[in-house]
Amino acid sequence: MTTLKRKIGQMFMVGLRGEELTQEEKKFLKGYPFGGFILFSHNLKEPKQILSLCRSLRGTGNGDPPFIAIDQEGGRVHRLPAPFTHFPPAAFLGRTGNPDLAYRFGLAAARELSAVGVNLNFAPVLDVHSNPNNPVIGDRSLGPDPKQVTTLGWSVIEGLRDGGIIPCGKHFPGHGDTAQDSHLELPVVEKDVTSLQTVELPPFIHACRNQVESLMTAHVLYPALDSTYPATLSHAIIGKLLRQGLGYQGVVFGDDLGMKAISKNYPLREAVSRGVHAGVDVLLFCHQQEEAIEAFDFLCQAAEKEEQTR
């Protein structure tokens, strides 16, 4: 396999069909060196099975060890089955206002994830719960106060780190004030830049300044920052605000490209192209292996054409 394909493969994270790799998955993974995998409840039955699955993912033979990721926030966004701990929603933690408790939550979650071979947690949510009618964030947020979310969110990050898990703050630059669910449609946040800087951005600014390992983007349109494209596809938001403005040098994950905020509004190849050019490092395909394969082939063809024209 060419070096080019391996490098492009590192830009992909995909979901799996079941509790073990199917023969079809084993076959296509030999030709598609995806750099990461995301696990959901349908992939997870009990500790030995989860550990076996993660070991098989590490043994796909595609070069660098893969990201093996999960959304283990607590509350309603919880993937690991019993006997793993089902932690309460982040809002409960937020109400305590206790950074030490937030740290211990992150550490405890990390130890359970690490024990079965997971190495990346798409948590904590750094969105400020600024809209009480938000249909998708709600109690996933640590609270309505930016300072509280900043302090407790960073404590969770430190706990995850110390437990051997890569943290990923989400959803940059802030999903807390949306009135729509980006799984179903494209939300629009009509705040001006000053309001965004005062409420939404502080937890992310703090995380960037302290070199958090990874962040995930929001499928949300912020006209004050980019009147045309949502954050995941916006160079103004990722390339300029995040990379240049905040000096962020970590990994940027795009949220799932199968979510309707993107898939209903942009053809697959346009979404992939715009995401990459915006500055997304890893494209996430949670439930669409066929689309991931199409996107991989598209990027390989585009890169090969670019090399030929040099």
Side-chain angles (χ1 to χ4, degrees):
M1 186 175 295
T2 67
T3 301
L4 176 62
K5 284 191 173 182
R6 287 192 180 279
K7 288 181 177 179
I8 292 175
Q10 294 300 306
M11 300 170 64
F12 284 79
M13 176 174 282
V14 299
L16 304 168
R17 302 198 189 284
E19 295 170 6
E20 60 183 16
L21 287 174
T22 66
Q23 290 302 315
E24 180 185 4
E25 287 172 332
K26 290 178 182 178
K27 184 178 179 180
F28 86 71
L29 285 175
K30 290 181 180 179
Y32 292 89
F34 295 140
F37 305 93
I38 182 169
L39 305 179
F40 290 91
S41 297
H42 68 270
N43 304 121
L44 311 170
K45 183 179 181 180
E46 49 83 23
K48 288 184 179 179
Q49 172 270 322
I50 299 169
L51 182 60
S52 176
L53 175 59
C54 290
R55 283 175 174 168
S56 69
L57 294 174
R58 285 192 169 86
T60 52
N62 291 323
D64 296 326
F67 288 125
I68 302 178
I70 197 169
D71 294 293
Q72 190 75 352
E73 301 173 13
R76 56 196 159 103
V77 183
H78 168 89
R79 311 299 188 206
L80 292 179
F84 295 97
T85 308
H86 192 155
F87 296 98
F92 285 37
L93 186 59
R95 290 183 197 124
T96 71
N98 187 331
D100 180 64
L101 186 61
Y103 171 83
R104 287 190 285 130
F105 155 70
L107 182 62
R111 285 173 173 167
E112 293 194 353
L113 293 171
S114 181
V116 290
V118 175
N119 57 24
L120 169 64
N121 190 10
F122 286 132
V125 169
L126 295 179
D127 304 316
V128 178
H129 187 38
S130 52
N131 180 358
N133 297 316
N134 191 312
V136 66
I137 300 301
D139 64 0
R140 296 170 63 192
S141 168
L142 287 158
D145 180 358
K147 291 183 180 179
Q148 176 176 291
V149 174
T150 298
T151 299
L152 297 183
W154 187 252
S155 294
V156 173
I157 287 170
E158 290 187 313
L160 289 169
R161 278 177 167 177
D162 288 351
I165 294 296
I166 302 166
C168 182
K170 60 187 185 186
H171 306 79
F172 182 83
H175 208 316
D177 197 31
T178 58
Q180 300 84 25
D181 182 348
S182 53
H183 293 86
L184 305 175
E185 57 187 313
L186 178 59
V188 180
V189 172
E190 297 282 2
K191 284 186 170 179
D192 59 28
V193 173
T194 300
S195 296
L196 291 170
Q197 290 174 336
T198 302
V199 179
E200 269 68 35
L201 284 171
F204 294 101
I205 292 172
H206 182 83
C208 289
R209 287 175 177 169
N210 287 277
Q211 301 177 350
V212 66
E213 287 79 352
S214 64
L215 292 173
M216 177 180 284
T217 61
H219 294 335
V220 177
L221 185 68
Y222 308 84
L225 301 176
D226 187 329
S227 61
T228 306
Y229 297 110
T232 304
L233 310 184
S234 171
H235 183 265
I237 293 175
I238 301 175
K240 293 184 179 179
L241 174 59
L242 181 60
R243 294 296 194 190
Q244 297 177 20
L246 300 182
Y248 183 62
Q249 297 180 358
V251 177
V252 176
F253 289 89
D255 207 346
D256 181 15
L257 288 180
M259 292 165 61
K260 292 182 179 178
I262 299 298
S263 63
K264 281 176 59 176
N265 295 286
Y266 303 93
L268 175 63
R269 294 188 176 197
E270 180 184 356
V272 168
S273 178
R274 292 198 180 280
V276 170
H277 284 96
V280 171
D281 295 305
V282 182
L283 302 165
L284 186 57
F285 292 87
C286 291
H287 308 288
Q288 314 85 18
Q289 292 179 356
E290 293 79 8
E291 285 85 349
I293 290 170
E294 180 184 344
F296 178 90
D297 288 340
F298 166 67
L299 288 181
C300 285
Q301 291 165 9
E304 287 168 358
K305 287 181 181 178
E306 185 174 336
E307 281 192 342
Q308 291 170 4
T309 58
R310 288 178 179 175

